[in-house]
């Protein structure tokens, strides 16, 4: 009868759920079962790559399994993300990315995934500030001087930053909208490409990583006008934040986050988070991060989802208001 059929279906469903739970628990008990890959969407040598290699070494030590860094640069990180989205959801293929990952869905008209739905954030590793620097020929020494200088020129001035959609680029777009100044973006293929034109004064200002800019600011080749973080950077402690220089609410941190496939069993996500949280507290690991201008940061999986969702909303708003779109 109907009731018996319903009861049988309910029992069958319960058995399937128990079987899945048992399989997931068993998988997490033996995790990792084989070598792991940590995908990085940038070439070797940059800050994200350096952080990835520090993380891979620590995970390898803790798990007793090889953790291989796999650099898959191209298409603003889309290729690297797709590798993880298309991988088995068992925690053996992970992604480490800067905050630009949270802008991809808004910036590109077509991407073969949804970061919020297809990936799950496993752990934060560190945050890193950027700094707005000016060539001395601009003859400004503070951010307020800079605003006055640009406002006196309705045609605006050029600012340099890495590829479209990077947090460096979006920081400039956000500053432009929050202050009403006219900044014209000049894209470059990475920080290395920015530096010759910036140091020669061919492009007057740039948003770039605090560590990269530090020797040039301290040596007088460039002037640090403001850092993008909510608090001053330990790397350039004498440079005020953009927020404290009169742009209330301005914030643009680069955040290094580890992601896994969204269907990764929660026990594995929790274990990865615990392992990363453990080595982030180690003095040697923290010191090596700080040397790269990255400040260690920790959070549980539920907090990670909230923070990533907030960044997606923040950069989506900036991109829409700026009319940025890549077809």
């Amino acid at each position: 009868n109907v009731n018996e059929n319903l009861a049988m279906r309910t029992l069958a469903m319960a058995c399937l759920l128990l079987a899945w739970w048992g399989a997931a628990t068993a998988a997490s008990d033996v995790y990792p079962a084989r070598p792991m890959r940590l995908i990085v969407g940038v070439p070797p040598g940059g800050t994200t790559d350096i952080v990835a290699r520090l993380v891979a070494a620590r995970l390898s030590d803790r798990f007793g399994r090889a953790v291989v860094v796999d650099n898959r640069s191209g298409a603003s990180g889309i290729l690297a993300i797709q590798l993880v989205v298309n991988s088995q959801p068992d925690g053996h293929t992970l992604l480490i990315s800067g905050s630009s990952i949270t802008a991809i869905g808004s910036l590109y008209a077509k991407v073969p995934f949804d970061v919020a739905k297809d990936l799950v954030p496993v752990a934060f590793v560190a945050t890193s500030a950027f700094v707005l620097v000016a060539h001395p020929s601009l003859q400004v020494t503070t951010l307020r001087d800079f605003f006055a200088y640009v406002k006196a020129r309705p045609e605006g001035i050029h600012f340099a930053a890495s590829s479209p959609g990077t947090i460096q680029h979006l920081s400039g777009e956000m500053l432009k909208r929050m202050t009403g100044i006219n900044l014209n973006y000049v894209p470059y293929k990475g920080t290395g490409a920015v530096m010759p034109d910036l140091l020669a004064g061919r492009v007057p200002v740039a948003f770039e990583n605090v560590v990269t800019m530090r020797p040039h600011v301290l040596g007088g080749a460039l002037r640090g006008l403001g850092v993008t973080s909510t608090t001053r950077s330990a790397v350039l402690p004498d440079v005020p934040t953009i927020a404290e220089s009169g742009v209330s609410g301005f914030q643009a941190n680069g955040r290094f986050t580890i992601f896994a496939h969204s269907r990764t069993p929660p026990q594995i996500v929790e274990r990865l988070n615990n392992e990363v949280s453990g080595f982030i507290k180690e003095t040697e690991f923290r010191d090596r991060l700080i040397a790269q201008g990255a400040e260690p940061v920790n959070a549980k999986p539920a907090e990670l989802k909230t923070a990533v969702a907030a960044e997606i909303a923040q950069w989506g708003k900036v991109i829409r208001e700026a009319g940025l779109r890549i077809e």
Side-chain angles (χ1 to χ4, degrees), residues 99-113:
S99 289
S100 297
I101 191 174
T102 59
I104 284 174
S106 298
L107 184 65
Y108 286 86
K110 294 180 181 179
V111 288
F113 50 75

Side-chain angles (χ1 to χ4, degrees), residues 47 51 97-99 124-130 209-211 228-235 251-257 280 289-290 292-298 307 311:
T47 304
V51 172
S97 175
S99 289
F124 288 153
V125 179
T127 62
S128 179
F130 302 101
N209 184 277
V210 288
V211 172
T228 61
S229 48
T230 53
T231 58
R232 294 197 182 198
S233 169
V235 177
Q251 178 201 344
N253 275 350
R255 198 194 311 269
F256 301 102
T257 307
I280 280 177
L289 281 179
I290 291 168
Q292 295 299 320
E295 299 181 21
V297 64
N298 201 359
E311 285 193 7

Side-chain angles (χ1 to χ4, degrees), residues 87-138:
S87 70
Q88 290 296 316
D90 56 10
H92 289 82
T93 303
L94 305 173
L95 172 78
I96 187 164
S97 175
S99 289
S100 297
I101 191 174
T102 59
I104 284 174
S106 298
L107 184 65
Y108 286 86
K110 294 180 181 179
V111 288
F113 50 75
D114 182 327
V115 168
K117 294 179 180 178
D118 295 327
L119 295 175
V120 59
V122 167
F124 288 153
V125 179
T127 62
S128 179
F130 302 101
V131 59
L132 175 63
V133 293
H135 190 268
S137 62
L138 210 60

